[in-house]
Amino acid sequence: MPVTMDTLVSLSKRRGFVFQSSEIYGGTGSVWDYGPLGVELKQNIKRLWWRDFVQSRADMVGLDASILMHPMVWTASGHVDKFTDPMVDCHECRHRFRADHVDARPWTHYCPATKGNKFVIPAGEACGHCGARRTLCPECGKGELTAPRQFNLMFKTFMGPVEDEAALTYLRPETAQAMFVNFDNVLQSMRLKLPFGIAQAGRSFRNEITPGNFIFRTREFEQMEIEYFVNPHDTVEGRPADEWWHDRWIADCMAWFRRYGLREENLRLREHEKAELAHYAKRTVDIDYLFPIGWSELMGIANRSDYDLKQHSKFSGKSLTYFDEERKEHIVPFVVEPAAGVDRALLAFLADAYQEEEVRGEKRVVLRFHPELAPVKVAVLPLLKKREEIVRTAHGIRAALSRHFRVVYDDTAAIGRLYRRQDEVGTPYCVTVDVQTVGDRDKGESGDGRVTIRDRDSMQQVRVPEGELLPVFRGLLEDGDWGAVVARFGGVTADAGRSREGDP
Ligand code: ATP
């Protein structure tokens, strides 16, 4: 069964992934805070995106621009005039909606055919008793809605100590514009040749009319954006270079989400219709994900033509061109923009990883994160917390591995429960230290120096020499090939899940 949003919200809070912002003051409902595990997961998403799309490519460079920019940036980009959503208000309850989202909500109806009984009718459906369709406010079912008015989504603020029109600027609503504004700086300083891309990950702000659905739509969020510049006169495989690269980026982004665990059947491409296309776009394709709220946009990949560079050139009076050596002419590059939301990616990875299963009559909740995404890579668990050598050895392992990946130590419950706790936050591997590892001095028995690694997904256990842990985990975290570890060290046992074993 697909996981519900309520389940994810409650797990996120309980296990330290995401908290409501300012919760002790009642929260805001439009922004969220990432807790100790959420921040690790979020950083892993950004790190992998950077590694795969920037670090490992010769045609990509990075940028980290400021959030506050010259206000003319937003006039030139079209955001001051066009970055709006249509808004309607209810005359009765004053609830505010995005006009284009009203029909996507369930609606409240006082049905005349049933003496005015109140019903909540699914989105887009008619009343089963009187056949009426929604005309009034979907929230209260009583008020008329105003005609749509355009509402600009940019947050206004003032730069400097005087709050007047001259000091007015905006919190950036996307990271993209800084990459256009810095086009020439990057081109000249790095001596780049087309095609090349600039990438940036950072915060964006949108005063969304109806934020909601947990971290899906918030007023402050993070984006990972790429502006990939191509020469519009070039061709690749007989096609215009911008069109070829657009398709290439769509395929690469889809492959990236699949590689880190999103299931094929939960991903789809959605081509924007002509009427829906943004004013600057030649073509836009969204990658949609089957979120708990239904199919929705995970990221967009737009061919923005030469619109942005031309606009900024016009408004700034500076040339933003590229000298085409072959044709001996200055050209304005076209740009392909893969724009992803970090928070939406995190929500998708969380939803896809979540599984409930029954293990020996007990419910096991497990987040099957790709090992590279998992917030904690290894949990070190002593089997007996009263045995000093066991505890010392376990702490030593944690300290040694922590130099390389996020590792935790936990001895606050019985081993069965400790395993379940790690399953629930997606830790791919646990290491347990027991009497066999350290031996028993009183009995004159020496230890074998081996510890148990337990695999989250199969729940199999293998004993491995302590000194081999680092190379073994390095391999596992890269390719997740548990079978290779089993083949090498053998002696597989099943995690018995005994909740009393080693109970401190
Ligand atoms: P939507 O149609 O959902 O409002 P959009 O098409 O306006 O999104 P873009 O401007 O293409 O979004 O931004 C790129 C990405 O940034 C989106 O695909 C999404 O992942 C993320 N994003 C945009 N707005 C928000 C938001 N309010 N909260 C969280 N993520 C967002």
Side-chain angles (χ1 to χ4, degrees):
M1 235 199 14
V3 61
T4 65
M5 198 68 105
D6 284 347
T7 305
L8 294 181
V9 174
S10 117
L11 174 86
S12 294
K13 177 173 179 184
R14 193 160 30 85
R15 301 311 314 273
F17 283 93
V18 184
F19 306 128
Q20 211 184 118
S21 164
S22 324
E23 190 183 350
I24 61 168
Y25 289 103
T28 67
S30 61
V31 282
W32 297 81
D33 295 340
Y34 288 87
L37 293 188
V39 67
E40 300 283 348
L41 178 56
K42 200 176 180 200
Q43 278 180 5
N44 289 343
I45 293 171
K46 288 188 284 183
R47 185 178 53 80
L48 293 173
W49 181 82
W50 196 266
R51 186 188 70 187
D52 297 341
F53 289 130
V54 186
Q55 184 190 322
S56 62
R57 293 177 62 134
D59 57 348
M60 291 289 306
V61 293
L63 185 75
D64 182 14
S66 52
I67 287 168
L68 297 172
M69 300 176 76
H70 194 291
M72 281 304 281
V73 168
W74 308 110
T75 305
S77 67
H79 282 80
V80 170
D81 287 337
K82 299 207 177 77
F83 196 57
T84 55
D85 276 337
M87 174 176 80
V88 291
D89 292 297
C90 171
H91 282 299
E92 192 76 24
C93 70
R94 305 266 160 228
H95 216 91
R96 188 158 272 189
F97 308 92
R98 231 173 97 168
D100 53 335
H101 285 179
V102 177
D103 285 333
R105 307 168 65 103
W107 57 287
T108 303
H109 176 52
Y110 293 91
C111 176
T114 60
K115 297 186 186 149
N117 278 346
K118 180 180 170 184
F119 298 98
V120 176
I121 298 173
E125 291 185 15
C127 171
H129 303 284
C130 69
R133 291 201 164 264
R134 186 200 64 76
T135 54
L136 301 172
C137 168
E139 188 71 20
C140 69
K142 291 179 179 157
E144 299 271 351
L145 295 177
T146 60
R149 285 164 294 146
Q150 290 302 325
F151 172 77
N152 195 299
L153 301 185
M154 282 198 293
F155 277 97
K156 287 182 180 155
T157 189
F158 300 93
M159 189 106 81
V162 186
E163 293 197 3
D164 63 10
E165 275 296 310
L168 176 69
T169 190
Y170 306 92
L171 300 186
R172 68 178 178 203
E174 60 174 38
T175 63
Q177 294 305 321
M179 295 184 265
F180 300 126
V181 172
N182 278 297
F183 172 77
D184 201 51
N185 285 335
V186 174
L187 180 68
Q188 301 306 335
S189 59
M190 305 307 288
R191 310 199 161 276
L192 297 166
K193 293 266 172 280
L194 288 178
F196 71 86
I198 308 177
Q200 174 166 223
R203 302 232 170 207
S204 294
F205 302 81
R206 294 182 189 178
N207 202 2
E208 298 277 2
I209 297 167
T210 41
N213 290 319
F214 193 32
I215 52 174
F216 180 82
R217 187 180 302 285
T218 53
R219 292 192 169 123
E220 175 179 346
F221 53 97
E222 276 195 81
Q223 291 184 304
M224 305 182 286
E225 294 194 291
I226 291 168
E227 302 305 332
Y228 196 77
F229 299 97
V230 303
N231 188 332
H233 303 313
D234 284 351
T235 52
V236 184
E237 294 173 354
R239 295 177 60 203
D242 60 309
E243 294 178 14
W244 188 91
W245 277 106
H246 193 195
D247 280 329
R248 176 67 190 267
W249 275 107
I250 294 166
D252 285 355
C253 291
M254 270 295 242
W256 192 83
F257 282 112
R258 276 194 231 108
R259 173 174 173 191
Y260 294 108
L262 296 192
R263 268 166 285 182
E264 187 75 46
E265 65 267 28
N266 292 339
L267 286 165
R268 73 171 188 201
L269 293 176
R270 193 182 72 82
E271 188 88 31
H272 282 215
E273 310 264 328
K274 272 264 168 306
E276 187 193 355
L277 275 182
H279 58 281
Y280 50 75
K282 180 170 160 187
R283 179 187 169 215
T284 298
V285 173
D286 286 346
I287 296 184
D288 282 359
Y289 176 75
L290 187 54
F291 286 96
I293 50 170
W295 286 103
S296 309
E297 177 181 331
L298 173 59
M299 74 173 292
I301 304 146
N303 180 344
R304 296 173 74 116
S305 70
D306 54 8
Y307 173 83
D308 304 272
L309 289 178
K310 278 193 169 156
Q311 283 293 103
H312 287 299
S313 184
K314 186 167 125 195
F315 278 75
S316 67
K318 300 277 184 318
S319 157
L320 296 175
T321 54
Y322 173 87
F323 187 67
D324 182 339
E325 304 272 357
E326 201 186 308
R327 298 176 184 88
K328 301 285 179 238
E329 59 174 352
H330 288 275
I331 56 118
V332 181
F334 268 37
V335 68
V336 173
E337 179 190 79
V342 181
D343 313 76
R344 280 191 200 175
L346 188 144
L347 182 59
F349 284 125
L350 192 63
D352 226 295
Y354 186 92
Q355 272 176 11
E356 288 179 13
E357 51 191 41
E358 206 179 288
V359 178
R360 287 176 289 276
E362 275 181 36
K363 179 169 122 179
R364 173 170 103 122
V365 172
V366 55
L367 292 181
R368 290 187 193 272
F369 283 131
H370 185 286
E372 293 213 75
L373 276 181
V376 174
K377 310 297 184 205
V378 178
V380 185
L381 316 170
L383 213 57
L384 295 170
K385 81 169 185 185
K386 287 188 187 128
R387 291 289 286 269
E388 206 195 314
E389 312 92 280
I390 291 182
V391 170
R392 198 175 343 106
T393 306
H395 277 302
I397 293 171
R398 190 208 62 80
L401 294 179
S402 289
R403 292 169 49 82
H404 307 275
F405 357 88
R406 184 82 181 124
V407 183
V408 297
Y409 169 94
D410 192 3
D411 65 6
T412 56
I415 191 67
R417 185 163 321 143
L418 293 180
Y419 281 155
R420 295 293 176 268
R421 264 188 211 161
Q422 295 303 328
D423 289 343
E424 211 189 11
V425 298
T427 307
Y429 306 105
C430 292
V431 169
T432 51
V433 182
D434 56 22
V435 181
Q436 232 181 309
T437 314
V438 297
D440 191 333
R441 229 178 307 150
D442 297 342
K443 292 187 187 154
E445 290 167 10
S446 55
D448 64 3
R450 286 175 173 256
V451 293
T452 303
I453 302 181
R454 182 253 196 192
D455 171 51
R456 173 196 70 200
D457 293 345
S458 65
M459 294 190 290
Q460 289 178 343
Q461 304 185 342
V462 164
R463 282 183 77 80
V464 172
E466 195 190 323
E468 295 282 344
L469 282 177
L470 183 57
V472 165
F473 282 132
R474 278 227 166 100
L476 279 174
L477 294 170
E478 202 144 282
D479 59 22
D481 190 356
W482 175 250
V485 176
V486 171
R488 181 162 164 216
F489 297 99
V492 180
T493 53
D495 149 22
R498 285 163 293 182
S499 56
R500 303 295 308 165
E501 184 185 346
D503 217 342

